[in-house]
Amino acid sequence: MVEVGKYNVLKVLKKVDFGFYLDGGDGQEILLPKRFVPEGLQEDDELEVFIYHDNEGKLIATTQKANGAVGDIVEMEVVSITPHGAFLDWGIMKDVFLPLSQQRSRIYKGERYLVLLYIDQVTGRVTATEKLGKSISNEVITVNEGDEITMRVYHQTEIGYKVIINNAHWGVLHYSDVFTDLDNNTVVKGYVKTIRDKDIDVAIGEKGYKRISKEAEKVLNLLKENDGYLPYHDKSAPEDIYDFFAMSKKAFKMATGSLYKQKIINFTKTGIQLIED
């Protein structure tokens, strides 16, 4: 059976004047309209398509790239507003509906909002919701300390940023681990620092020696680009270090410490110096 609101690889059954019919399983035929047919498509070929309901409730296939599939948490733009809800730009011929009951606050046309795409149990159609609790939970945690993750900034709090981890869990990115402002919906790579009960703390970048190695290489490259000397050291302000190296002061100290132990650099009173071969 096909999965509505997702990409499916389907077999081409037959050609008609207005497109091709694809095998949807159990005797079901799904139309791929002529405008979306790739050049050279033949019967019995297999093709990856996105499946959705048209305005009449019929399943339609498209080769257009949708702005999100069922289960995704994505930022989408409002294209129109009705008394019952709003329609969001799905990137395909049809917009996706955000019901009034699934909105967290007032919605404005032309603005972008973070939503979860899901299948409405009553209509069977793909629907959007701002109530992310339908998908995000820390009841069963699927990440471990040290795991590399993708996080999306949800909103700012008194202690840091509330983030969405791998589209599955809530986490906290503390201000002490951030040296620049982050906007809502910004997506960054990071890792899990600690897990306590159902609370997950995260950090930007990579963990441990893997991070040191990468950032030590960055320091080394910058030294080479600046005649072997940089006026930064362990007394430099964290903001100055972040502005120049794009890393935290802690990561800078670990990186330079690693280079010093390998006898690649020396510390001077005013900065760090590359040791000549």
Side-chain angles (χ1 to χ4, degrees), residues 246-258:
M247 66 180 72
S248 68
K249 184 172 181 178
K250 179 179 179 181
F252 170 77
K253 291 174 68 175
M254 294 172 73
T256 53
S258 172

Side-chain angles (χ1 to χ4, degrees), residues 48-149:
E48 183 178 60
V49 291
F50 189 81
I51 303 297
Y52 66 99
H53 288 98
D54 66 9
N55 291 332
E56 297 178 353
K58 296 179 181 178
L59 289 182
I60 295 290
T62 181
T63 50
Q64 290 180 297
K65 182 174 177 57
N67 289 335
V70 168
D72 288 345
I73 296 171
V74 291
E75 191 180 23
M76 303 180 80
E77 181 180 345
V78 175
V79 293
S80 64
I81 296 176
T82 76
H84 305 291
F87 285 94
L88 312 178
D89 180 10
W90 204 0
I92 58 178
M93 293 297 294
K94 183 177 175 59
D95 300 321
V96 66
F97 187 53
L98 171 61
L100 193 62
S101 63
Q102 298 302 321
Q103 298 174 16
R104 296 176 59 244
S105 58
R106 187 173 180 181
I107 296 293
Y108 296 91
K109 182 178 179 181
E111 296 294 320
R112 301 178 66 86
Y113 298 89
L114 195 65
V115 297
L116 163 71
L117 299 181
Y118 70 103
I119 299 291
D120 182 82
Q121 295 301 310
V122 176
T123 65
R125 299 191 181 192
V126 180
T127 308
T129 178
E130 284 193 286
K131 299 176 181 179
L132 305 185
K134 290 177 176 289
S135 174
I136 303 172
S137 171
N138 285 21
E139 288 302 314
V140 179
I141 295 176
T142 60
V143 294
N144 299 303
E145 292 185 0
D147 283 359
E148 295 181 359
I149 58 164

Side-chain angles (χ1 to χ4, degrees), residues 198-263:
K198 294 181 174 61
D199 296 325
I200 307 174
D201 289 343
V202 298
I204 295 175
E206 297 176 313
K207 185 185 178 185
Y209 292 105
K210 186 174 182 181
R211 180 177 59 169
I212 297 170
S213 174
K214 180 179 179 180
E215 296 186 341
E217 183 178 358
K218 181 187 291 186
V219 172
L220 184 58
N221 288 336
L222 287 169
L223 275 166
K224 292 177 180 178
E225 293 172 6
N226 290 271
D227 299 323
Y229 172 79
L230 290 171
Y232 298 93
H233 46 74
D234 61 356
K235 302 299 183 183
S236 297
E239 296 80 7
D240 293 339
I241 290 174
Y242 190 89
D243 287 343
F244 188 81
F245 295 97
M247 66 180 72
S248 68
K249 184 172 181 178
K250 179 179 179 181
F252 170 77
K253 291 174 68 175
M254 294 172 73
T256 53
S258 172
L259 293 172
Y260 177 76
K261 289 178 181 179
Q262 297 175 61
K263 298 182 179 180

Side-chain angles (χ1 to χ4, degrees), residues 22-50:
L22 310 180
D23 185 4
D26 290 339
Q28 181 175 223
E29 297 181 352
I30 300 176
L31 178 66
L32 173 65
K34 189 174 183 178
R35 74 182 74 178
F36 305 126
V37 174
E39 185 177 352
L41 189 67
Q42 301 289 331
E43 292 181 8
D44 294 328
D45 285 352
E46 289 191 337
L47 182 67
E48 183 178 60
V49 291
F50 189 81

Side-chain angles (χ1 to χ4, degrees), residues 261-277:
K261 289 178 181 179
Q262 297 175 61
K263 298 182 179 180
I264 297 173
I265 66 168
N266 270 330
F267 296 108
T268 71
K269 292 182 178 180
T270 57
I272 52 177
Q273 182 78 48
L274 185 64
I275 297 175
E276 296 184 3
D277 293 335

